[in-house]
Structures are given as C-alpha cells and as structure tokens.
Amino acid sequence: MAYNVLYTANATVTGEGRKGFGKTDDDRLAVDLSVPKGLGGDDGVGTNPEQLFAVGYAACFHGALKNVSRQAKANVEGSAIDAQVSLGKSDEGLDIAVELTVTIPGLEQAEAEKLVEAAHQMCPYSRATRGNIEVKLTTKTA
C-alpha cells in the first residue's frame, strides 16, 4: 500500500503522563492533563487522553460525513457527532471503546444510516480502529 503523507501533527507530553502537560509544536494546542476520578485521580483542572480522542474522532467522523453527503447530494446541515470514549478493564489490560451518536436532522432514518455507514468506511479514525476496539454507531434524525 502506497502511503503519501499529507499532514503530520506533532505533540509532546511532559510531566507524569496522565498528570502532565501536552502541547503541539506549533503552540496551537496546550493542555494540562489530569486523571479522572474513575481512574483513581482527583479530576483536576486538565483534560485527559480519552477526552482528546473523543474530540478528534468526532471531528474526523464529521468531516467524513460531510464528504459522503456531498457525494450523495444529501443535506446534513445541522448535523452533530457526539463521541463517548470509555476506558475499561479486560483480560488483556485497559481497553477503550467508542460510541458515536450521529444526529442528522431532516433526513429519513434509512438515508441517514446509509450516510453514517459510508462515513464509517471513509473516516481515518474508524479505519484505524476497525477490528481493534468496539465502535458502536447510533444514528438519529431528530
């Protein structure tokens, strides 16, 4: 498979990992990191990797949805992606699972589901995680 790099994001985390500080090399993103109470932390003032992954996945999926809707000449104006990223224990250790709730007002349910599935096939995050983590898709039209 040929791979032509179009963009590379560069970020560095320092400190104590989940209780550290992360920033991109262009200084467009700089975040304090904290451990959620569910993982034994104090829910400090910072964000956590699961929240960052949720925002990234939702943004990427929304871009894919917009792309497939243009191809299908479907109107997805007012659409939104809600992403839930859960961290849990399995026999192998800690794993993540994702649930994406895709809301597309104004479309018939079947048409919306077809667009969501097409976006799931196109989205780089979906392709990267396929077969590695559980990803549940829910489609809403109102």
Side-chain angles (χ1 to χ4, degrees):
M1 174 175 99
Y3 186 73
N4 181 23
V5 175
L6 300 175
Y7 171 75
T8 300
N10 297 294
T12 302
V13 171
T14 57
E16 300 179 38
R18 286 182 170 271
K19 292 191 273 185
F21 177 79
K23 76 178 213 63
T24 57
D25 64 340
D26 61 4
D27 293 323
R28 293 175 77 185
L29 176 68
V31 293
D32 289 316
L33 301 169
S34 63
V35 180
K37 285 184 181 180
L39 296 177
D42 62 1
D43 247 359
V45 297
T47 189
N48 62 65
E50 291 72 35
Q51 290 172 320
L52 295 169
F53 187 72
V55 169
Y57 201 155
C60 188
F61 198 94
H62 204 215
L65 178 66
K66 295 281 189 167
N67 191 318
V68 299
S69 70
R70 277 192 297 277
Q71 293 172 4
K73 297 184 181 359
N75 183 0
V76 296
E77 186 73 27
S79 60
I81 315 298
D82 292 314
Q84 292 182 314
V85 174
S86 300
L87 186 67
K89 283 189 176 184
S90 71
D91 292 339
E92 290 82 32
L94 292 177
D95 289 318
I96 62 171
V98 174
E99 182 170 352
L100 300 177
T101 301
V102 183
T103 304
I104 309 173
L107 290 184
E108 295 294 323
Q109 185 70 26
E111 182 182 9
E113 287 174 0
K114 185 177 178 181
L115 291 173
V116 168
E117 184 52 40
H120 190 46
Q121 296 306 312
M122 175 184 277
C123 174
Y125 276 57
S126 292
R127 291 187 16 239
T129 59
R130 188 166 290 122
N132 296 314
I133 67 170
E134 180 183 335
V135 177
K136 178 182 176 190
L137 301 174
T138 302
T139 305
K140 296 181 177 182
T141 56

